[in-house]
Amino acid sequence: MKIAILGGDGFVGWPTALHLSDAGHDIHILDNLSRRWIDTELGVQSLTPMDSIQERTRIWHAETGRRIHFNLIDLARDYELLKKWLAEHRPDAIVHFAEQRAAPYSMKTDRHKNYTVNNNVNATHNLLNALVELDLDAHLVHLGTMGVYGYSTIGAAIPEGYLPVGIDTMGGETVSQEILYPSNPGSIYHMTKCLDQLLFQFYAKNDGLRITDLHQGIVWGTHTEQTRRHPQLINRFDYDGDYGTVLNRFLIQAAIGYPLTVHGTGGQTRAFIHIQDSVRCIELALNSPPARGSRVEIFNQMTETHRVRDLAEMIARMTGSEIAWLPNPRKEAAENDLVVHNEKFLALGLDPIRLQDGLLSEIVDVAKKFAYRVDRTRVPAVSAWTKDIAPLINHDPEGKRLKSVS
């Protein structure tokens, strides 16, 4: 297939581009490189050294003989340029990663909230609008988030997208209907993914677009089979308080002798998936498109769930690290359970990579190799969800800042 990967320079986008190129597909990356500019804004860098996207694709061609094409396009702002590209290339499938992906970043200030909404929602709608305008029957695979469901405890497993309900009619009968599982976003970022869901439902119903929405858990790991082939193909590794995902952050903290930062009670239960499984799931979804005119296909793209404090204690035992119990910058329940159905990907042949499969030590090795690139002041999570929470945030878990003498 000819596949357009929107946001193909990012944390999941880049290894997906390599994985699909390696499988023989014709890959075209569309990206505005905004994630690199955000690094500059935040004054932080990927733990792993990243070359330019042009150099990355050059190395891939030199190693494999396969080309990955790069196009500098801002999906949220360059509608006519996006439409022109789609009209010229008419891809068979589109993988949509082109959204600001960090919940803490989306909550930093009013400016960051506006940017996240404008970027994410406009990018998605521009894409859908262009597909209809061009009568382009490409299968759209979107990377969503488990966070659209929220993290409340209801005592039942979360289904894959749709919830069967009974509705009482005026005639006194009960009719059955399947509805989108009620959304319960926990941040501005998660809210944009909920809005994506509604856009997808409308365009699938109104215009017959073929859409698959992947509700993904927290991604851990660094390497995939393809990124191991050359040092310059390595994936980015975020450790900072805005973009670093919880398990990867614990591992880098352990590698540099930083306390493992657990916020609140650590009773938050989250869904997880390894980066290698993430790219496999995207390929499986591409190979199983919904029929034109059918409803949006929804997968829960996760392989296991864990409480945050259990993860911290596991890493502490493995590495001898200390745990720092800190105030929670997020507005969320102190404790929650999370039970999730993920039978669809298992039925398609996914053989999940589990935490106990030995890859944790590999990540620690990567973290130790590049520990000299860490800015310890960027490790704490300090983006507060509300103005009331902001004064409670601990900006110095190590207790190393100079204290004033009163």
Side-chain angles (χ1 to χ4, degrees):
M1 291 186 287
K2 178 186 287 187
I3 303 174
I5 300 184
L6 317 181
D9 187 47
F11 174 53
V12 183
W14 174 244
T16 299
L18 297 186
H19 182 83
L20 294 176
S21 176
D22 205 29
H25 301 290
D26 179 16
I27 302 302
H28 297 254
I29 290 175
L30 281 64
D31 202 304
N32 67 351
L33 306 183
S34 60
R35 182 65 190 88
R36 294 175 184 256
W37 286 106
I38 290 172
D39 277 345
T40 302
E41 174 205 346
L42 296 178
V44 71
Q45 60 184 348
S46 165
L47 176 72
T48 49
M50 286 170 50
D51 283 308
S52 69
I53 184 63
Q54 292 87 351
E55 180 67 4
R56 283 173 139 186
T57 56
R58 186 191 70 80
I59 292 293
W60 178 249
H61 178 251
E63 289 292 308
T64 67
R66 304 198 61 84
R67 292 198 181 277
I68 294 177
H69 308 276
F70 170 66
N71 306 269
L72 184 64
I73 299 178
D74 188 325
L75 270 69
R77 301 171 66 180
D78 297 336
Y79 173 73
E80 293 299 332
L81 189 58
L82 169 64
K83 189 168 72 169
K84 180 181 178 182
W85 189 92
L86 291 171
E88 178 182 347
H89 293 275
R90 301 193 73 85
D92 303 297
I94 299 169
V95 185
H96 178 19
F97 300 118
E99 295 181 274
Q100 192 291 107
R101 68 170 177 84
Y105 184 86
S106 77
M107 302 298 292
K108 289 181 78 66
T109 67
D110 55 347
R111 179 176 68 82
H112 293 89
K113 292 175 182 179
N114 284 342
Y115 169 75
T116 300
V117 172
N118 291 337
N119 182 80
N120 293 7
V121 180
N122 284 345
T124 297
H125 187 259
N126 282 349
L127 173 62
L128 297 169
N129 199 12
L131 292 175
V132 172
E133 185 68 17
L134 298 170
D135 194 26
L136 178 54
D137 183 27
H139 176 205
L140 171 59
V141 175
H142 171 256
L143 192 69
T145 172
M146 288 292 301
V148 299
Y149 301 129
Y151 298 106
S152 58
T153 299
I154 61 171
I158 295 175
E160 299 201 78
Y162 297 96
L163 181 69
V165 297
I167 301 173
D168 294 334
T169 68
M170 290 182 288
E173 299 177 342
T174 299
V175 296
S176 297
Q177 187 175 354
E178 282 199 320
I179 63 171
L180 270 180
Y181 192 88
S183 58
N184 185 20
S187 71
I188 293 294
Y189 157 74
H190 292 106
M191 184 188 71
T192 64
K193 295 292 190 175
C194 295
L195 296 174
D196 285 342
Q197 284 194 116
L198 295 178
L199 290 170
F200 295 146
Q201 294 297 314
F202 174 79
Y203 275 96
K205 175 187 67 175
N206 194 68
D207 299 288
L209 295 189
R210 296 183 296 132
I211 302 171
T212 298
D213 200 8
L214 307 176
H215 292 169
Q216 180 164 261
I218 294 170
V219 180
W220 64 280
T222 305
H223 284 301
T224 63
E225 180 184 340
Q226 290 74 32
T227 64
R228 288 190 181 94
R229 291 189 181 179
H230 191 282
Q232 288 175 271
L233 296 176
I234 195 167
N235 199 21
R236 70 176 299 126
F237 187 114
D238 298 305
Y239 66 88
D240 63 285
D242 286 319
Y243 276 88
T245 58
V246 61
L247 181 54
N248 278 2
R249 275 170 51 78
F250 284 162
L251 292 165
I252 181 62
Q253 288 167 354
I256 66 172
Y258 198 100
L260 309 184
T261 52
V262 176
H263 297 93
T265 66
Q268 309 95 328
T269 304
R270 298 288 191 258
F272 292 87
I273 185 169
H274 188 268
I275 186 69
Q276 180 71 69
D277 281 345
S278 183
V279 300
R280 286 173 180 155
C281 285
I282 291 160
E283 182 181 23
L284 290 171
L286 284 167
N287 291 334
S288 302
R292 189 168 177 87
S294 63
R295 70 183 184 180
V296 176
E297 183 67 68
I298 299 176
F299 292 81
N300 288 337
Q301 188 164 303
M302 50 74 65
T303 54
E304 55 192 321
T305 60
H306 297 277
R307 286 192 188 275
V308 170
R309 62 171 173 256
D310 294 339
L311 286 177
E313 290 165 359
M314 178 180 68
I315 302 301
R317 287 193 301 270
M318 187 178 86
T319 63
S321 301
E322 296 181 356
I323 298 176
W325 301 89
L326 305 175
N328 192 351
R330 302 188 183 215
K331 188 174 183 179
E332 62 182 353
E335 304 270 335
N336 78 286
D337 294 318
L338 183 64
V339 182
V340 182
H341 284 298
N342 67 337
E343 287 85 0
K344 288 184 179 180
F345 274 130
L346 298 178
L348 291 175
L350 178 67
D351 183 15
I353 297 170
R354 307 288 187 182
L355 291 185
Q356 65 266 32
D357 288 350
L359 292 177
L360 294 180
S361 58
E362 174 189 285
I363 302 168
V364 173
D365 291 341
V366 171
K368 287 180 177 178
K369 179 179 179 180
F370 296 110
Y372 68 93
R373 292 171 54 86
V374 173
D375 180 349
R376 299 176 83 93
T377 67
R378 302 298 178 179
V379 173
V382 297
S383 295
W385 259 233
T386 69
K387 293 179 180 178
D388 293 336
I389 293 174
L392 307 177
I393 302 303
N394 186 337
H395 292 254
D396 185 23
E398 291 188 289
K400 289 187 175 181
R401 292 191 179 178
L402 293 174
K403 305 296 192 295
S404 61
V405 179
S406 57

PDB file of all heavy atoms in Angstrom, residues 17 35 81 117 154 197 231 234 248 258 319 328-329 396 399:
ATOM      1  N   ALA A  17       6.667   4.239  10.877  1.00  0.00           N
ATOM      2  CA  ALA A  17       7.107   4.442   9.497  1.00  0.00           C
ATOM      3  C   ALA A  17       8.144   3.394   9.102  1.00  0.00           C
ATOM      4  O   ALA A  17       8.086   2.822   8.003  1.00  0.00           O
ATOM      5  CB  ALA A  17       7.673   5.853   9.337  1.00  0.00           C
ATOM      6  N   ARG A  35       7.018  18.791  17.307  1.00  0.00           N
ATOM      7  CA  ARG A  35       7.545  18.175  18.531  1.00  0.00           C
ATOM      8  C   ARG A  35       8.978  18.612  18.784  1.00  0.00           C
ATOM      9  O   ARG A  35       9.390  18.788  19.941  1.00  0.00           O
ATOM     10  CB  ARG A  35       7.449  16.651  18.421  1.00  0.00           C
ATOM     11  CG  ARG A  35       7.925  15.903  19.653  1.00  0.00           C
ATOM     12  CD  ARG A  35       7.030  16.196  20.862  1.00  0.00           C
ATOM     13  NE  ARG A  35       7.617  15.671  22.084  1.00  0.00           N
ATOM     14  CZ  ARG A  35       8.473  16.331  22.852  1.00  0.00           C
ATOM     15  NH1 ARG A  35       8.858  17.564  22.531  1.00  0.00           N
ATOM     16  NH2 ARG A  35       8.958  15.775  23.938  1.00  0.00           N
ATOM     17  N   LEU A  81      -2.721  22.964   1.243  1.00  0.00           N
ATOM     18  CA  LEU A  81      -1.510  22.195   0.942  1.00  0.00           C
ATOM     19  C   LEU A  81      -1.741  20.708   1.207  1.00  0.00           C
ATOM     20  O   LEU A  81      -1.316  19.847   0.426  1.00  0.00           O
ATOM     21  CB  LEU A  81      -0.345  22.719   1.786  1.00  0.00           C
ATOM     22  CG  LEU A  81       1.052  22.183   1.471  1.00  0.00           C
ATOM     23  CD1 LEU A  81       1.426  22.473   0.023  1.00  0.00           C
ATOM     24  CD2 LEU A  81       2.079  22.800   2.415  1.00  0.00           C
ATOM     25  N   VAL A 117      -5.927  22.370  21.564  1.00  0.00           N
ATOM     26  CA  VAL A 117      -7.242  22.270  20.921  1.00  0.00           C
ATOM     27  C   VAL A 117      -7.151  22.657  19.453  1.00  0.00           C
ATOM     28  O   VAL A 117      -7.639  21.938  18.565  1.00  0.00           O
ATOM     29  CB  VAL A 117      -8.277  23.146  21.657  1.00  0.00           C
ATOM     30  CG1 VAL A 117      -9.588  23.195  20.867  1.00  0.00           C
ATOM     31  CG2 VAL A 117      -8.528  22.601  23.054  1.00  0.00           C
ATOM     32  N   ILE A 154     -15.828   1.646  37.901  1.00  0.00           N
ATOM     33  CA  ILE A 154     -17.258   1.350  37.817  1.00  0.00           C
ATOM     34  C   ILE A 154     -17.560  -0.123  38.091  1.00  0.00           C
ATOM     35  O   ILE A 154     -18.710  -0.543  38.072  1.00  0.00           O
ATOM     36  CB  ILE A 154     -17.816   1.735  36.436  1.00  0.00           C
ATOM     37  CG1 ILE A 154     -17.122   0.926  35.324  1.00  0.00           C
ATOM     38  CG2 ILE A 154     -17.664   3.234  36.185  1.00  0.00           C
ATOM     39  CD1 ILE A 154     -17.772   1.089  33.965  1.00  0.00           C
ATOM     40  N   GLN A 197     -13.322  11.531  18.357  1.00  0.00           N
ATOM     41  CA  GLN A 197     -14.286  10.428  18.265  1.00  0.00           C
ATOM     42  C   GLN A 197     -15.584  10.876  17.609  1.00  0.00           C
ATOM     43  O   GLN A 197     -16.150  10.175  16.769  1.00  0.00           O
ATOM     44  CB  GLN A 197     -14.612   9.887  19.654  1.00  0.00           C
ATOM     45  CG  GLN A 197     -13.577   9.011  20.297  1.00  0.00           C
ATOM     46  CD  GLN A 197     -14.169   8.275  21.484  1.00  0.00           C
ATOM     47  OE1 GLN A 197     -14.260   7.064  21.488  1.00  0.00           O
ATOM     48  NE2 GLN A 197     -14.585   9.013  22.499  1.00  0.00           N
ATOM     49  N   PRO A 231      22.518   3.127  14.697  1.00  0.00           N
ATOM     50  CA  PRO A 231      22.406   4.085  15.817  1.00  0.00           C
ATOM     51  C   PRO A 231      21.608   5.334  15.467  1.00  0.00           C
ATOM     52  O   PRO A 231      20.935   5.897  16.345  1.00  0.00           O
ATOM     53  CB  PRO A 231      23.871   4.428  16.116  1.00  0.00           C
ATOM     54  CG  PRO A 231      24.654   3.257  15.636  1.00  0.00           C
ATOM     55  CD  PRO A 231      23.917   2.738  14.437  1.00  0.00           C
ATOM     56  N   ILE A 234      17.576   5.412  15.933  1.00  0.00           N
ATOM     57  CA  ILE A 234      17.015   5.256  17.270  1.00  0.00           C
ATOM     58  C   ILE A 234      15.800   6.161  17.465  1.00  0.00           C
ATOM     59  O   ILE A 234      15.713   7.262  16.907  1.00  0.00           O
ATOM     60  CB  ILE A 234      18.091   5.547  18.345  1.00  0.00           C
ATOM     61  CG1 ILE A 234      17.624   5.041  19.717  1.00  0.00           C
ATOM     62  CG2 ILE A 234      18.435   7.043  18.387  1.00  0.00           C
ATOM     63  CD1 ILE A 234      18.721   5.002  20.742  1.00  0.00           C
ATOM     64  N   ASN A 248       8.788   4.720  31.504  1.00  0.00           N
ATOM     65  CA  ASN A 248      10.079   5.187  30.995  1.00  0.00           C
ATOM     66  C   ASN A 248      10.724   6.179  31.951  1.00  0.00           C
ATOM     67  O   ASN A 248      11.945   6.193  32.136  1.00  0.00           O
ATOM     68  CB  ASN A 248       9.901   5.820  29.611  1.00  0.00           C
ATOM     69  CG  ASN A 248       9.854   4.787  28.488  1.00  0.00           C
ATOM     70  OD1 ASN A 248       9.926   3.584  28.742  1.00  0.00           O
ATOM     71  ND2 ASN A 248       9.741   5.254  27.262  1.00  0.00           N
ATOM     72  N   TYR A 258      18.039   9.120  40.562  1.00  0.00           N
ATOM     73  CA  TYR A 258      17.015  10.098  40.939  1.00  0.00           C
ATOM     74  C   TYR A 258      15.882   9.346  41.628  1.00  0.00           C
ATOM     75  O   TYR A 258      15.541   8.230  41.238  1.00  0.00           O
ATOM     76  CB  TYR A 258      16.500  10.784  39.670  1.00  0.00           C
ATOM     77  CG  TYR A 258      15.777  12.091  39.878  1.00  0.00           C
ATOM     78  CD1 TYR A 258      16.432  13.303  39.669  1.00  0.00           C
ATOM     79  CD2 TYR A 258      14.443  12.127  40.254  1.00  0.00           C
ATOM     80  CE1 TYR A 258      15.777  14.513  39.829  1.00  0.00           C
ATOM     81  CE2 TYR A 258      13.775  13.323  40.425  1.00  0.00           C
ATOM     82  CZ  TYR A 258      14.449  14.520  40.210  1.00  0.00           C
ATOM     83  OH  TYR A 258      13.786  15.719  40.384  1.00  0.00           O
ATOM     84  N   THR A 319      16.409  -2.050  40.899  1.00  0.00           N
ATOM     85  CA  THR A 319      17.537  -1.126  40.756  1.00  0.00           C
ATOM     86  C   THR A 319      18.074  -0.589  42.072  1.00  0.00           C
ATOM     87  O   THR A 319      19.115   0.084  42.084  1.00  0.00           O
ATOM     88  CB  THR A 319      17.125   0.066  39.880  1.00  0.00           C
ATOM     89  OG1 THR A 319      16.068   0.784  40.538  1.00  0.00           O
ATOM     90  CG2 THR A 319      16.644  -0.390  38.508  1.00  0.00           C
ATOM     91  N   ASN A 328       0.127  15.245  43.900  1.00  0.00           N
ATOM     92  CA  ASN A 328      -0.286  14.940  42.534  1.00  0.00           C
ATOM     93  C   ASN A 328      -0.655  16.228  41.791  1.00  0.00           C
ATOM     94  O   ASN A 328      -1.554  16.946  42.225  1.00  0.00           O
ATOM     95  CB  ASN A 328      -1.493  13.997  42.544  1.00  0.00           C
ATOM     96  CG  ASN A 328      -1.776  13.414  41.169  1.00  0.00           C
ATOM     97  OD1 ASN A 328      -1.199  13.822  40.171  1.00  0.00           O
ATOM     98  ND2 ASN A 328      -2.695  12.448  41.127  1.00  0.00           N
ATOM     99  N   PRO A 329       0.024  16.544  40.682  1.00  0.00           N
ATOM    100  CA  PRO A 329      -0.338  17.750  39.923  1.00  0.00           C
ATOM    101  C   PRO A 329      -1.639  17.602  39.137  1.00  0.00           C
ATOM    102  O   PRO A 329      -2.177  18.589  38.647  1.00  0.00           O
ATOM    103  CB  PRO A 329       0.848  17.935  38.973  1.00  0.00           C
ATOM    104  CG  PRO A 329       1.422  16.570  38.806  1.00  0.00           C
ATOM    105  CD  PRO A 329       1.196  15.862  40.099  1.00  0.00           C
ATOM    106  N   ASP A 396      11.250  20.240  43.546  1.00  0.00           N
ATOM    107  CA  ASP A 396      12.626  19.830  43.890  1.00  0.00           C
ATOM    108  C   ASP A 396      12.611  18.528  44.689  1.00  0.00           C
ATOM    109  O   ASP A 396      12.939  18.502  45.875  1.00  0.00           O
ATOM    110  CB  ASP A 396      13.293  20.944  44.708  1.00  0.00           C
ATOM    111  CG  ASP A 396      14.761  20.657  45.011  1.00  0.00           C
ATOM    112  OD1 ASP A 396      15.376  19.874  44.263  1.00  0.00           O
ATOM    113  OD2 ASP A 396      15.272  21.221  45.993  1.00  0.00           O
ATOM    114  N   GLY A 399      15.639  17.730  46.767  1.00  0.00           N
ATOM    115  CA  GLY A 399      15.991  18.627  47.870  1.00  0.00           C
ATOM    116  C   GLY A 399      17.353  19.267  47.713  1.00  0.00           C
ATOM    117  O   GLY A 399      18.045  19.532  48.714  1.00  0.00           O
TER     118      GLY A 399
END
